[in-house]
Amino acid sequence: MPFTDAPSSVSASGSASGSGFASASVLRHLARGAVGFGALIAAFALLPVFGPATLLLAPVGLVALRGCPMCWAIGLAETVSRGRLRRECVDGRCELRPAR
């Protein structure tokens, strides 16, 4: 499971509210996305100019995106919704509710 920039908290019901994709702030998440997508695009766009050495940028992009572009998108949604939504589980049934 990927690491987070912020520690995950535990709600009153005992469930962890953080997953492995959210960042500490939206700005940090967007910066990581710019580095990740920029490195992936540069890895392939610069291939005809600089040769196969530019493919070394691809792992940098994947690390910045925490695995894949979809992982980054999930983390963006989690980062934006952090503090606005709360998961409450009662009798084995979980629901998302606005934070109070």
Side-chain angles (χ1 to χ4, degrees), residues 21-63:
F21 300 110
S23 294
S25 71
V26 174
L27 183 62
R28 181 178 290 179
H29 198 83
L30 292 175
R32 205 176 67 244
V35 169
F37 285 114
L40 283 176
I41 291 168
F44 295 102
L46 297 175
L47 191 59
V49 178
F50 295 106
T54 61
L55 293 176
L56 295 174
L57 290 172
V60 172
L62 292 176
V63 168

Side-chain angles (χ1 to χ4, degrees), residues 37 65 68-75:
F37 285 114
L65 295 175
C68 65
M70 190 55 148
C71 299
W72 180 85
I74 291 169

